[in-house]
Coordinates of all heavy atoms in Angstrom, one line a residue:
M1 N 141.9 79.6 65.2 CA 140.6 80.3 64.9 C 139.6 79.2 64.5 O 139.9 78.4 63.6 CB 140.8 81.3 63.9 CG 139.5 82.1 63.6 SD 139.7 83.6 62.7 CE 139.7 83.0 61.1
M2 N 138.4 79.2 65.0 CA 137.4 78.1 64.7 C 136.2 78.8 64.3 O 135.6 79.5 65.1 CB 137.2 77.3 66.0 CG 136.3 76.1 65.7 SD 136.3 75.1 67.2 CE 135.0 74.0 66.8
G3 N 135.7 78.6 63.1 CA 134.5 79.1 62.6 C 134.4 80.6 62.6 O 133.4 81.2 62.7
G4 N 135.6 81.2 62.5 CA 135.7 82.7 62.3 C 135.6 83.4 63.7 O 135.5 84.6 63.7
V5 N 135.7 82.7 64.8 CA 135.6 83.3 66.1 C 137.0 83.4 66.7 O 137.7 82.5 66.7 CB 134.7 82.4 67.1 CG1 134.6 83.0 68.4 CG2 133.2 82.3 66.5
T6 N 137.3 84.6 67.1 CA 138.5 84.9 67.7 C 138.4 85.4 69.1 O 137.2 85.8 69.5 CB 139.4 85.9 67.0 OG1 138.7 87.1 67.0 CG2 139.5 85.5 65.4
K7 N 139.5 85.5 70.0 CA 139.3 86.2 71.3 C 138.8 87.5 71.2 O 138.1 88.0 72.0 CB 140.6 86.1 72.0 CG 141.0 84.7 72.5 CD 142.3 84.7 73.3 CE 142.6 83.4 73.8 NZ 143.8 83.4 74.5
T8 N 139.3 88.2 70.1 CA 138.8 89.6 69.9 C 137.3 89.7 69.6 O 136.6 90.6 70.2 CB 139.6 90.3 68.7 OG1 141.0 90.2 69.0 CG2 139.2 91.8 68.5
T9 N 136.8 88.8 68.9 CA 135.4 88.8 68.5 C 134.7 88.5 69.8 O 133.6 89.2 70.1 CB 135.0 87.6 67.5 OG1 135.8 87.9 66.4 CG2 133.6 87.6 67.2
I10 N 135.0 87.5 70.6 CA 134.3 87.2 71.8 C 134.4 88.5 72.8 O 133.4 88.8 73.4 CB 134.9 86.0 72.5 CG1 134.7 84.8 71.6 CG2 134.4 85.8 73.9 CD1 135.4 83.5 72.0
S11 N 135.5 89.0 72.9 CA 135.7 90.2 73.8 C 134.8 91.3 73.3 O 134.1 91.9 74.3 CB 137.2 90.6 73.8 OG 137.3 91.8 74.6
S12 N 134.6 91.6 72.1 CA 133.8 92.7 71.6 C 132.3 92.3 71.9 O 131.6 93.3 72.2 CB 134.1 93.1 70.2 OG 133.7 92.0 69.3
K13 N 132.0 91.1 71.7 CA 130.6 90.7 72.0 C 130.2 90.9 73.5 O 129.1 91.3 73.8 CB 130.3 89.3 71.6 CG 130.4 89.0 70.1 CD 129.3 89.8 69.4 CE 129.3 89.5 67.9 NZ 128.5 90.4 67.1
L14 N 131.1 90.6 74.4 CA 130.8 90.8 75.8 C 130.6 92.2 76.2 O 129.8 92.6 77.0 CB 132.0 90.2 76.6 CG 132.2 88.7 76.6 CD1 133.5 88.3 77.4 CD2 131.0 88.0 77.2
R15 N 131.3 93.1 75.4 CA 131.0 94.6 75.7 C 129.7 95.1 75.3 O 129.3 96.1 75.7 CB 132.2 95.4 75.0 CG 133.6 95.1 75.7 CD 134.6 96.1 75.1 NE 134.4 96.1 73.7 CZ 135.5 95.9 72.8 NH1 136.7 95.7 73.2 NH2 135.3 96.0 71.5
D16 N 129.1 94.3 74.4 CA 127.8 94.7 73.9 C 126.7 94.4 74.9 O 125.5 94.9 74.6 CB 127.5 94.1 72.5 CG 128.5 94.7 71.5 OD1 128.9 95.7 71.7 OD2 128.6 93.9 70.4
G17 N 126.9 93.6 75.9 CA 125.8 93.1 76.7 C 125.0 92.0 76.1 O 125.3 91.6 75.0
P18 N 124.0 91.6 76.8 CA 123.4 92.0 78.2 C 124.4 91.6 79.2 O 125.3 90.8 79.0 CB 122.1 91.3 78.2 CG 122.2 90.2 77.3 CD 123.2 90.5 76.3
W19 N 124.0 92.0 80.4 CA 124.9 91.8 81.7 C 124.0 91.0 82.7 O 123.6 91.6 83.7 CB 125.4 93.1 82.2 CG 126.4 93.7 81.3 CD1 127.8 93.6 81.4 CD2 126.2 94.7 80.2 NE1 128.4 94.3 80.4 CE2 127.4 95.0 79.7 CE3 125.0 95.2 79.7 CZ2 127.5 95.8 78.6 CZ3 125.2 96.1 78.6 CH2 126.4 96.3 78.0
P20 N 123.8 89.8 82.5 CA 123.0 89.0 83.5 C 123.7 88.8 84.9 O 123.0 88.7 85.8 CB 122.9 87.6 82.8 CG 124.0 87.5 81.9 CD 124.3 88.9 81.4
A21 N 125.0 89.0 84.9 CA 125.8 89.0 86.2 C 125.3 90.0 87.1 O 125.6 90.0 88.3 CB 127.3 89.0 85.9
C22 N 124.7 91.1 86.6 CA 124.3 92.2 87.4 C 123.1 91.9 88.3 O 122.9 92.6 89.3 CB 124.0 93.4 86.5 SG 125.3 94.3 85.9
I23 N 122.3 91.0 88.0 CA 121.1 90.6 88.7 C 121.5 90.3 90.1 O 122.4 89.4 90.4 CB 120.3 89.4 88.2 CG1 119.9 89.8 86.7 CG2 119.1 89.0 89.0 CD1 118.9 91.0 86.7
G24 N 121.0 91.0 91.2 CA 121.3 90.8 92.6 C 122.4 91.7 93.0 O 122.6 91.8 94.3
M25 N 123.1 92.4 92.2 CA 124.2 93.3 92.6 C 123.7 94.6 93.1 O 122.5 95.0 92.7 CB 125.1 93.6 91.4 CG 126.1 92.6 91.0 SD 127.1 93.4 89.7 CE 128.3 92.0 89.3
E26 N 124.5 95.3 93.9 CA 124.1 96.7 94.1 C 124.2 97.5 92.9 O 125.1 97.2 92.0 CB 125.0 97.3 95.2 CG 124.6 96.6 96.6 CD 125.4 97.3 97.7 OE1 126.3 98.3 97.4 OE2 125.3 96.9 98.8
S27 N 123.5 98.5 92.7 CA 123.5 99.3 91.4 C 124.9 99.8 91.1 O 125.3 99.8 89.9 CB 122.5 100.4 91.5 OG 122.8 101.4 92.5
S28 N 125.6 100.3 92.1 CA 126.9 100.9 91.8 C 127.9 99.8 91.2 O 128.7 100.1 90.3 CB 127.6 101.5 93.1 OG 127.7 100.6 94.1
E29 N 127.9 98.6 91.8 CA 128.6 97.5 91.2 C 128.3 97.2 89.8 O 129.2 96.9 89.0 CB 128.4 96.2 92.1 CG 128.9 96.3 93.5 CD 128.6 95.1 94.3 OE1 127.4 94.7 94.3 OE2 129.5 94.5 94.8
C30 N 127.0 97.1 89.5 CA 126.5 96.9 88.1 C 127.0 98.0 87.2 O 127.5 97.7 86.1 CB 125.0 96.7 88.1 SG 124.4 96.4 86.5
V31 N 126.8 99.2 87.6 CA 127.3 100.3 86.8 C 128.8 100.2 86.4 O 129.2 100.4 85.3 CB 126.9 101.6 87.4 CG1 127.6 102.8 86.7 CG2 125.4 101.8 87.4
T32 N 129.6 100.0 87.4 CA 131.0 99.8 87.3 C 131.3 98.7 86.3 O 132.2 98.8 85.5 CB 131.7 99.6 88.7 OG1 131.4 100.7 89.5 CG2 133.2 99.3 88.5
L33 N 130.7 97.6 86.5 CA 130.8 96.4 85.6 C 130.6 96.8 84.1 O 131.4 96.5 83.2 CB 130.0 95.2 86.0 CG 130.1 94.0 85.1 CD1 131.4 93.3 85.0 CD2 128.9 93.0 85.4
I34 N 129.4 97.4 83.9 CA 129.1 97.7 82.5 C 130.0 98.8 82.0 O 130.5 98.7 80.8 CB 127.6 98.3 82.5 CG1 126.6 97.1 82.9 CG2 127.3 98.8 81.1 CD1 125.2 97.5 83.1
E35 N 130.4 99.8 82.7 CA 131.2 100.9 82.2 C 132.7 100.3 82.0 O 133.3 100.8 81.2 CB 131.2 102.0 83.2 CG 130.0 102.8 83.1 CD 129.9 104.0 84.1 OE1 130.7 104.0 85.1 OE2 129.0 104.8 83.9
S36 N 133.1 99.3 82.8 CA 134.4 98.7 82.5 C 134.4 97.9 81.2 O 135.4 97.7 80.6 CB 134.9 97.8 83.7 OG 134.1 96.7 83.8
D37 N 133.3 97.3 80.9 CA 133.1 96.6 79.6 C 133.1 97.5 78.4 O 133.6 97.2 77.4 CB 131.9 95.7 79.6 CG 132.0 94.5 80.5 OD1 133.1 94.2 80.8 OD2 130.9 93.8 80.7
N38 N 132.4 98.7 78.6 CA 132.3 99.6 77.5 C 132.0 101.0 78.0 O 130.9 101.3 78.5 CB 131.1 99.1 76.6 CG 131.0 100.0 75.4 OD1 131.4 101.1 75.3 ND2 130.4 99.4 74.2
S39 N 133.1 101.8 78.0 CA 133.0 103.1 78.6 C 132.1 104.1 77.8 O 131.8 105.3 78.2 CB 134.4 103.7 78.9 OG 135.1 103.8 77.7
N40 N 131.7 103.7 76.6 CA 131.0 104.6 75.8 C 129.5 104.5 76.1 O 128.7 105.3 75.5 CB 131.1 104.2 74.3 CG 132.6 104.5 73.9 OD1 133.2 105.6 74.2 ND2 133.3 103.6 73.2
L41 N 129.0 103.7 76.9 CA 127.7 103.6 77.3 C 127.3 104.5 78.3 O 128.0 104.8 79.3 CB 127.4 102.1 77.7 CG 127.6 101.0 76.7 CD1 127.4 99.6 77.3 CD2 126.7 101.2 75.5
K42 N 126.0 105.0 78.3 CA 125.4 105.8 79.3 C 124.5 104.8 80.2 O 123.5 104.3 79.7 CB 124.5 106.9 78.7 CG 123.9 107.7 79.8 CD 123.2 108.9 79.2 CE 122.6 109.8 80.3 NZ 121.9 110.9 79.8
V43 N 124.9 104.6 81.4 CA 124.2 103.6 82.3 C 123.3 104.4 83.2 O 123.8 105.3 83.9 CB 125.2 102.8 83.1 CG1 124.4 101.7 83.9 CG2 126.2 102.1 82.2
I44 N 122.0 104.1 83.2 CA 121.0 104.8 84.0 C 120.3 103.9 84.9 O 119.7 102.9 84.5 CB 120.0 105.5 83.0 CG1 120.7 106.4 82.0 CG2 118.9 106.2 83.8 CD1 119.7 106.9 80.9
V45 N 120.4 104.2 86.2 CA 119.7 103.4 87.3 C 118.3 104.0 87.5 O 118.2 105.2 87.8 CB 120.6 103.4 88.5 CG1 120.0 102.6 89.6 CG2 122.0 102.9 88.2
V46 N 117.4 103.1 87.5 CA 116.0 103.6 87.8 C 115.3 102.6 88.8 O 115.7 101.4 88.8 CB 115.2 103.8 86.6 CG1 115.6 104.9 85.7 CG2 115.0 102.5 85.8
Q47 N 114.3 103.1 89.6 CA 113.6 102.2 90.4 C 112.7 101.3 89.6 O 112.1 101.7 88.6 CB 112.7 103.0 91.4 CG 113.4 103.6 92.5 CD 114.0 102.6 93.5 OE1 115.2 102.6 93.7 NE2 113.2 101.7 94.0
D48 N 112.6 100.0 90.0 CA 111.7 99.1 89.2 C 110.3 99.6 89.2 O 109.8 100.0 90.3 CB 111.8 97.7 89.9 CG 111.1 96.5 89.2 OD1 111.1 96.6 88.0 OD2 110.5 95.7 89.9
G49 N 109.7 99.6 88.1 CA 108.3 100.1 88.0 C 108.2 101.5 87.5 O 107.2 102.0 87.2
E50 N 109.4 102.3 87.6 CA 109.4 103.6 87.2 C 109.3 103.7 85.7 O 109.8 102.9 85.0 CB 110.7 104.3 87.7 CG 110.8 105.8 87.5 CD 112.1 106.3 88.1 OE1 112.5 105.9 89.2 OE2 112.7 107.2 87.4
Y51 N 108.6 104.8 85.2 CA 108.4 104.9 83.8 C 109.8 105.3 83.1 O 110.5 106.2 83.7 CB 107.5 106.1 83.5 CG 107.4 106.4 82.0 CD1 106.7 105.6 81.2 CD2 108.0 107.5 81.5 CE1 106.7 105.9 79.7 CE2 108.1 107.8 80.1 CZ 107.3 107.0 79.3 OH 107.3 107.3 78.0
V52 N 110.1 104.7 82.0 CA 111.3 105.1 81.2 C 110.8 105.2 79.8 O 109.8 104.6 79.3 CB 112.4 104.0 81.2 CG1 113.0 103.9 82.7 CG2 112.0 102.7 80.8
T53 N 111.5 106.1 79.1 CA 111.2 106.3 77.7 C 111.3 105.0 76.9 O 112.1 104.2 77.2 CB 112.1 107.4 77.1 OG1 111.6 107.6 75.7 CG2 113.5 107.0 77.1
E54 N 110.5 104.8 75.8 CA 110.5 103.5 75.1 C 111.3 103.6 73.8 O 111.4 102.6 73.1 CB 109.1 103.1 74.8 CG 108.3 102.8 76.1 CD 106.9 102.3 75.8 OE1 106.7 101.8 74.7 OE2 106.1 102.2 76.7
D55 N 112.0 104.8 73.5 CA 112.8 104.7 72.4 C 114.1 103.9 72.6 O 114.5 103.7 73.7 CB 113.2 106.2 72.0 CG 114.0 106.9 73.1 OD1 113.7 106.7 74.2 OD2 114.9 107.7 72.7
F56 N 114.6 103.3 71.5 CA 115.7 102.4 71.6 C 117.0 103.1 71.3 O 117.1 103.8 70.2 CB 115.5 101.2 70.7 CG 116.6 100.2 70.9 CD1 116.5 99.2 71.8 CD2 117.7 100.1 70.0 CE1 117.3 98.2 72.0 CE2 118.7 99.2 70.2 CZ 118.6 98.2 71.2
R57 N 118.0 103.2 72.2 CA 119.2 103.8 71.9 C 120.4 102.8 72.3 O 120.4 102.3 73.4 CB 119.4 105.1 72.9 CG 118.3 106.0 72.4 CD 118.5 107.3 73.2 NE 117.6 108.3 72.7 CZ 117.9 109.4 72.2 NH1 119.1 109.8 72.2 NH2 117.0 110.3 71.8
L58 N 121.3 102.6 71.3 CA 122.3 101.6 71.5 C 123.4 102.1 72.5 O 124.1 101.3 73.1 CB 123.0 101.4 70.2 CG 122.3 100.5 69.2 CD1 123.1 100.4 67.9 CD2 122.1 99.1 69.7
E59 N 123.4 103.4 72.8 CA 124.4 103.9 73.8 C 123.9 103.9 75.2 O 124.6 104.3 76.1 CB 124.9 105.3 73.3 CG 123.9 106.4 73.6 CD 122.8 106.5 72.5 OE1 122.8 105.8 71.5 OE2 122.0 107.4 72.7
R60 N 122.7 103.4 75.4 CA 122.0 103.5 76.7 C 121.8 102.1 77.3 O 121.4 101.2 76.6 CB 120.7 104.2 76.6 CG 119.9 104.4 77.9 CD 118.7 105.1 77.8 NE 117.8 104.5 76.9 CZ 116.9 105.1 76.1 NH1 116.7 106.4 76.1 NH2 116.1 104.4 75.3
V61 N 122.0 102.0 78.6 CA 121.6 100.8 79.3 C 120.8 101.2 80.6 O 121.3 102.0 81.4 CB 122.9 100.0 79.8 CG1 122.6 98.8 80.6 CG2 123.8 99.7 78.7
W62 N 119.6 100.6 80.6 CA 118.7 100.8 81.8 C 119.1 99.7 82.8 O 119.2 98.6 82.6 CB 117.2 100.7 81.5 CG 116.7 101.7 80.5 CD1 116.3 101.5 79.2 CD2 116.5 103.1 80.8 NE1 115.8 102.6 78.7 CE2 115.9 103.6 79.6 CE3 116.7 103.9 81.9 CZ2 115.6 104.9 79.5 CZ3 116.3 105.2 81.8 CH2 115.8 105.7 80.6
V63 N 119.2 100.2 84.1 CA 119.4 99.3 85.2 C 118.4 99.4 86.2 O 118.2 100.5 86.8 CB 120.9 99.5 85.9 CG1 121.0 98.5 87.1 CG2 122.0 99.2 84.9
F64 N 117.5 98.4 86.4 CA 116.4 98.6 87.3 C 116.7 98.0 88.6 O 117.3 96.9 88.7 CB 115.1 97.8 86.6 CG 114.6 98.5 85.4 CD1 115.1 98.1 84.2 CD2 113.7 99.5 85.5 CE1 114.6 98.7 83.0 CE2 113.2 100.1 84.4 CZ 113.7 99.7 83.1
V65 N 116.3 98.7 89.7 CA 116.7 98.3 91.1 C 115.5 98.3 91.9 O 114.5 99.0 91.7 CB 117.7 99.3 91.6 CG1 119.1 99.1 91.0 CG2 117.2 100.7 91.8
D66 N 115.6 97.4 93.0 CA 114.4 97.4 94.0 C 114.7 98.4 95.1 O 115.6 99.2 95.0 CB 114.3 96.0 94.5 CG 115.5 95.4 95.2 OD1 116.4 96.3 95.6 OD2 115.5 94.3 95.5
E67 N 113.9 98.4 96.1 CA 113.9 99.3 97.1 C 115.2 99.1 98.0 O 115.6 100.1 98.7 CB 112.7 99.2 98.1 CG 112.6 97.8 98.8 CD 111.9 96.8 98.0 OE1 111.4 97.1 96.9 OE2 111.9 95.6 98.4
D68 N 115.9 98.0 97.9 CA 117.2 97.9 98.5 C 118.4 98.2 97.6 O 119.5 97.8 98.0 CB 117.3 96.4 99.0 CG 116.3 96.0 100.0 OD1 116.0 96.9 100.9 OD2 115.7 94.9 99.9
D69 N 118.1 98.8 96.5 CA 119.2 99.2 95.5 C 119.9 97.9 94.9 O 121.1 98.0 94.5 CB 120.2 100.1 96.1 CG 121.1 100.8 95.1 OD1 120.5 101.2 94.0 OD2 122.3 100.9 95.3
L70 N 119.2 96.8 94.8 CA 119.7 95.6 94.1 C 119.1 95.5 92.7 O 117.9 95.8 92.6 CB 119.4 94.3 95.0 CG 119.9 94.4 96.4 CD1 119.5 93.1 97.1 CD2 121.5 94.4 96.4
V71 N 119.9 95.2 91.8 CA 119.5 95.0 90.4 C 118.5 93.9 90.2 O 118.8 92.8 90.7 CB 120.7 94.8 89.5 CG1 120.2 94.7 88.0 CG2 121.7 96.0 89.6
V72 N 117.4 94.1 89.6 CA 116.4 93.2 89.3 C 116.2 93.0 87.8 O 116.8 93.7 87.0 CB 115.0 93.6 89.9 CG1 115.1 93.6 91.5 CG2 114.5 94.9 89.4
K73 N 115.3 92.0 87.4 CA 115.0 91.9 86.0 C 114.2 93.1 85.5 O 113.4 93.6 86.2 CB 114.4 90.6 85.7 CG 115.3 89.5 85.9 CD 114.7 88.1 85.6 CE 115.7 87.0 85.8 NZ 115.2 85.7 85.3
P74 N 114.3 93.5 84.2 CA 115.0 92.7 83.1 C 116.5 92.9 83.2 O 116.9 93.8 83.8 CB 114.4 93.5 81.9 CG 114.1 94.8 82.3 CD 113.6 94.7 83.7
I75 N 117.1 91.9 82.7 CA 118.6 91.9 82.7 C 119.1 93.2 82.0 O 118.6 93.5 80.9 CB 119.2 90.7 81.9 CG1 118.8 89.4 82.7 CG2 120.7 90.8 81.7 CD1 119.1 88.2 82.0
P76 N 120.0 93.9 82.6 CA 120.5 95.1 81.9 C 121.1 94.9 80.6 O 121.8 93.9 80.3 CB 121.6 95.6 82.9 CG 121.3 95.1 84.2 CD 120.6 93.8 83.9
G77 N 120.7 95.7 79.6 CA 121.2 95.5 78.2 C 121.0 96.8 77.5 O 120.3 97.7 78.0
R78 N 121.5 96.9 76.4 CA 121.4 98.1 75.5 C 120.0 98.4 75.2 O 119.1 97.5 75.0 CB 122.2 98.0 74.2 CG 123.6 98.1 74.5 CD 124.4 97.9 73.2 NE 125.7 98.0 73.4 CZ 126.5 98.8 72.7 NH1 126.0 99.6 71.8 NH2 127.8 98.9 72.9
G79 N 119.6 99.7 75.1 CA 118.2 100.1 74.7 C 117.9 101.4 75.2 O 117.1 102.1 74.9

């Protein structure tokens, strides 16, 4: 153990997001990745530019996609 960091600590941090690897993926692949990291999250796919509520929720992840259903920025993360 170095500086209080363990494999368990690193693993739990990865489950918290964000998920930059999703950029460029099809939405279904991204949703599967996020849900495999943390099945307690509600992953919501929306078209880029579509209105979403601005309240912050730790259990929610917005995934924005383009017209080809590919994930675009912002990087999916909790909120």
Side-chain angles (χ1 to χ4, degrees):
M1 184 165 87
M2 185 172 169
V5 177
T6 65
K7 285 183 180 181
T8 302
T9 303
I10 293 169
S11 176
S12 68
K13 292 294 182 191
L14 291 175
R15 291 188 313 235
D16 290 340
W19 290 269
C22 281
I23 300 298
M25 282 185 179
E26 290 185 0
S27 64
S28 60
E29 293 175 306
C30 178
V31 170
T32 299
L33 173 67
I34 294 169
E35 289 176 344
S36 71
D37 285 348
N38 188 332
S39 62
N40 295 316
L41 296 174
K42 180 175 183 179
V43 184
I44 304 168
V45 177
V46 294
Q47 285 294 127
D48 188 34
E50 187 175 318
Y51 173 79
V52 295
T53 182
E54 293 185 19
D55 62 323
F56 187 85
R57 296 185 177 236
L58 286 174
E59 73 278 0
R60 179 179 60 211
V61 177
W62 295 113
V63 175
F64 293 92
V65 296
D66 64 14
E67 62 277 353
D68 296 320
D69 195 41
L70 299 177
V71 179
V72 296
K73 291 186 177 184
I75 294 170
R78 288 175 177 234

